[in-house]
Amino acid sequence: MKLVIIGNGIAGNQVAFDVRKKDKNAEIVILSAENVPEYDPCSLPYYLGGECRHADVFRRKPGDYAASSIDLVYDSQVLSIDPESKTVTTRTGENISYDTLVLAHGGDLFIPPIPGIDNQGVFSCKQLAETEKLAAHNGRSAVVIGSGAIGIEAAEALKRKGYAVYVIELMDWILPSLFDEATAGRLETELTGYGIHVFTKEKVIKIKGAGTVTAVVTNLRTIDCDTVVVATGVVPGTALARTAGIDTGRGIQVNRQLQTSVPDIYACGDCVETIDACTGETAMFQLKHNAIEQAQVVARNITGEPARYLGAYAFARAHFFSTHAATFGKTQRATDCILGDKRIIEREDGKNYLRVVLLNNQIVGGQAIGTFADGLGLLIGAMWRKDDIMEIAAKMRKTPKGGAVHSWPMLRLGNLLGF
Amino acid sequence: MIACSMKHHGRIDPGLSRVDVIRLTPQELDVPVICMACDIAPCIKVCPMNARIRQANGTVVTDADVCIGCRACVYICPVGSPKINPHTGKTMTCDMCQGETEPWCVAACRQEGALKMCTDGAISKNSARQAADRSRKTYPRK
């Protein structure tokens, strides 16, 4: 069997090495658009900020591939797939045949059509090569466009490097898809406290500069800067799948075995559209743990072991300087278009904050800052089990003091929720 | 906790212990929280630095050289077991004192016998259920 994997990211490598563990004879080829072994995009902001060494971003060494007899081909971005003849064509014009193909090329950085975005001094923080350029860049003042997780982490890293940092967010509050207004407002105050300027509800109209960036113009102000970081989100790479006639929605559409609509082609990682494991809704969570789980299912299916993907889940953390926050499940805004009895449980203790989103007395999401976040895993468990919160509150009132050790998970959960 | 901090840090400081005992004040209950070394450990998957590593004896520990103290493993953990080292801000979990004949906490508790080292299969599901039943009878939920 010849297995060709497009993409040398987390998902692609997980498939390759998992298949190799089960099948010693398969011919495995990874086609990488870049020229380095597997690295972790989550680590890049920490490398940028000097918190970890360059070597620490890599998940594998070049020698690991040869040791597992996996053929890693650098600089071969795949441009088209021909499912009739079972071949893929790379940028260099090479045709490579396959028996089984795995699409794990991930997402592309969304580059907004802002005039002047191709100036010198405009960077991104999603790929290693770009981040290396940004790390080598010597600037004094940086504007980060977009305040998603990557944007906030990049802002922290640049602040650590001594830049004056401005974050511009188009939406109402920072980290708009992860946190609700109340939580994001607190995080914004913290960010401002560390000396990072945050401007929400502002639109970048133009990046000024003739060849090199000199300023960023928004609808409200002009900020002089010599560095711009574009962190406006990641869109799934569906263009390649369409060349093979694979069905795509927001991402590549797959079944529960993660097969695409074309036989012998699987897809996993940031490029697929999956379902939410908890609610069964169509969802896109482009997160590392989902990529790993999807890749494991693909590898098992390829090696002939039937496996069913149970779905993705949302879990993310926001961490800058000494502020720690985490979020899981739905935000209040995400439940706005669902019918049902909705409630919010809020707890506050100094800078620590907990916000739990309830739908029909079941936890569907939550956000926490500081010490409340330490018990977030208990809330995630309650969301999976679909625990009835009213029932827990009633049991908490009846629990005798001392003893009752068997019910400690419920007691810890109840205490966290303040029952 | 004293034995744990002694073994891993060479000093008596419960704050450095990898085994935690949480006090639930309203219920007057002390709950031990220890890394369960999940078979499918979510902390390994969510760590941005890939610092959570499964050891030969099955336990999952944090590589302190790589950890940047983002606490993702604490937040995803179903019991919130990783402890934060108050001096470095990095996380740490129970490694069952790998390389020793038995964990130091078990050795320290030999007199009382509250802690025991069990091998895989030594506790059958049945005996665990029976113990839970006894606890329920003594302290009924309702």
Side-chain angles (χ1 to χ4, degrees):
Chain A
M1 181 185 71
K2 184 175 181 185
L3 170 66
V4 174
I5 297 163
I6 302 175
N8 186 34
I10 307 246
N13 277 275
Q14 188 79 34
V15 173
F17 283 85
D18 274 15
V19 168
R20 175 56 78 219
K21 255 184 233 162
K22 294 249 186 68
D23 187 343
K24 300 281 173 232
N25 304 317
E27 187 185 348
I28 302 175
V29 181
I30 302 179
L31 300 175
S32 171
E34 294 166 69
N35 56 3
V36 283
E38 182 194 10
Y39 62 88
D40 194 332
C42 308
S43 323
L44 293 179
Y46 299 110
Y47 156 63
L48 177 62
E51 284 181 85
C52 74
R53 290 161 297 179
H54 185 263
D56 290 338
V57 304
F58 291 101
R59 276 165 66 93
R60 290 187 210 282
K61 293 185 212 57
D64 294 352
Y65 294 90
S68 295
S69 42
I70 290 168
D71 190 9
L72 172 63
V73 189
Y74 289 141
D75 295 317
S76 44
Q77 191 187 4
V78 175
L79 294 183
S80 66
I81 303 164
D82 182 6
E84 293 283 312
S85 61
K86 287 197 166 187
T87 51
V88 296
T89 309
T90 65
R91 194 178 48 192
T92 48
E94 203 182 340
N95 288 317
I96 297 163
S97 67
Y98 65 84
D99 293 321
T100 308
L101 183 68
V102 176
L103 304 179
H105 51 285
D108 301 320
L109 191 73
F110 171 66
I111 305 282
I114 300 170
I117 201 145
D118 44 7
N119 269 322
Q120 285 259 318
V122 180
F123 301 94
S124 67
C125 194
K126 170 85 171 79
Q127 290 193 320
L128 182 63
E130 272 289 305
T131 313
E132 278 170 347
K133 275 190 228 159
L134 178 55
H137 183 71
N138 265 323
R140 297 219 317 277
S141 174
V143 171
V144 179
I145 305 175
S147 72
I150 298 179
I152 295 294
E153 281 171 2
E156 183 212 2
L158 290 171
K159 186 75 198 166
R160 275 180 196 272
K161 280 168 73 84
Y163 282 74
V165 183
Y166 304 84
V167 177
I168 299 173
E169 172 59 50
L170 176 66
M171 306 289 272
D172 301 344
W173 54 80
I174 60 164
L175 297 155
S177 58
L178 299 177
F179 292 97
D180 281 324
E181 188 169 13
T183 327
R186 283 171 172 82
L187 291 175
E188 191 181 322
T189 314
E190 298 265 321
L191 266 182
T192 316
Y194 296 121
I196 295 172
H197 306 272
V198 183
F199 303 116
T200 54
K201 298 183 205 167
E202 279 198 33
K203 189 178 178 181
V204 175
I205 290 169
K206 195 162 101 175
I207 297 173
K208 268 194 183 170
T212 321
V213 174
T214 54
V216 168
V217 183
T218 74
N219 55 341
L220 292 176
R221 71 196 83 227
T222 300
I223 304 165
D224 291 332
C225 65
D226 47 31
T227 311
V228 173
V229 180
V230 181
T232 40
V234 175
V235 284
T238 51
L240 175 63
R242 280 199 294 269
T243 65
I246 294 169
D247 292 343
T248 56
R250 281 169 68 199
I252 298 170
Q253 287 177 339
V254 287
N255 63 11
R256 284 298 190 99
Q257 278 67 42
L258 298 176
Q259 287 160 323
T260 62
S261 58
V262 174
D264 295 325
I265 302 184
Y266 292 82
C268 58
D270 277 3
C271 55
V272 302
E273 175 184 287
T274 60
I275 57 159
D276 184 318
C278 207
T279 61
E281 296 158 0
T282 306
M284 292 227 47
F285 303 124
Q286 293 165 311
L287 299 164
K288 178 174 146 189
H289 53 269
N290 293 325
I292 295 176
E293 283 170 14
Q294 288 164 7
Q296 286 167 340
V297 171
V298 168
R300 284 167 67 187
N301 277 309
I302 289 174
T303 49
E305 181 191 346
R308 194 175 134 89
Y309 182 53
L310 297 175
Y313 57 97
F315 165 80
R317 93 223 119 74
H319 158 230
F320 43 88
F321 299 104
S322 56
T323 301
H324 292 268
T327 173
F328 71 93
K330 291 178 186 297
T331 56
Q332 185 186 10
R333 184 149 67 173
T335 61
D336 276 352
C337 46
I338 305 172
L339 288 173
D341 175 23
K342 282 170 258 183
R343 236 168 20 110
I344 302 284
I345 296 179
E346 279 185 294
R347 287 191 73 193
E348 198 168 4
D349 172 14
K351 279 189 172 178
N352 305 316
Y353 177 71
L354 175 73
R355 183 184 183 85
V356 181
V357 184
L358 300 179
L359 180 67
N360 300 326
N361 291 328
Q362 292 171 356
I363 296 175
V364 293
Q367 301 141 35
I369 305 175
T371 51
F372 285 122
D374 293 351
L376 209 68
L378 297 162
L379 297 172
I380 299 176
M383 176 178 80
W384 285 113
R385 291 191 301 269
K386 302 197 192 312
D387 279 354
D388 189 315
I389 293 304
M390 299 313 284
E391 212 170 279
I392 289 180
K395 278 181 183 167
M396 290 291 291
R397 286 193 292 274
K398 288 175 188 160
T399 307
K401 288 202 192 308
V405 177
H406 61 272
S407 50
W408 67 263
M410 187 201 78
L411 294 175
R412 276 187 72 190
L413 181 66
N415 273 309
L416 185 64
L417 290 168
F419 293 150
Chain B
M1 287 170 78
I2 289 169
C4 189
S5 64
M6 199 62 202
K7 150 79 184 155
H8 294 289
H9 301 276
R11 61 180 133 158
I12 293 172
D13 179 357
L16 285 170
S17 163
R18 295 162 184 220
V19 182
D20 199 6
V21 179
I22 293 182
R23 176 80 173 158
L24 300 177
T25 325
Q27 286 77 28
E28 295 175 12
L29 192 67
D30 296 315
V31 179
V33 179
I34 308 167
C35 173
M36 306 183 294
C38 306
D39 284 345
I40 302 171
C43 52
I44 298 177
K45 290 179 202 160
V46 300
C47 177
M49 300 302 302
N50 308 295
R52 297 284 298 162
I53 294 161
R54 192 175 297 276
Q55 289 186 301
N57 68 351
T59 52
V60 184
V61 294
T62 304
D63 178 354
D65 289 342
V66 192
C67 176
I68 38 118
C70 76
R71 303 188 190 174
C73 52
V74 185
Y75 304 149
I76 195 71
C77 178
V79 292
S81 80
K83 288 268 307 259
I84 315 286
N85 183 325
H87 305 292
T88 62
K90 299 177 178 186
T91 59
M92 45 191 193
T93 49
C94 172
D95 62 351
M96 304 278 268
C97 295
Q98 196 182 25
E100 304 275 334
T101 45
E102 66 178 341
W104 281 36
C105 53
V106 176
C109 194
R110 197 171 290 133
Q111 192 78 42
E112 289 77 11
L115 295 178
K116 256 183 243 161
M117 183 73 184
C118 297
T119 46
D120 191 20
I123 307 180
S124 69
K125 276 220 166 103
N126 256 342
S127 64
R129 280 198 190 112
Q130 279 165 13
D133 263 358
R134 278 202 302 277
S135 162
R136 279 196 195 99
K137 268 178 203 145
T138 323
Y139 303 103
R141 275 188 178 179
K142 286 178 182 168

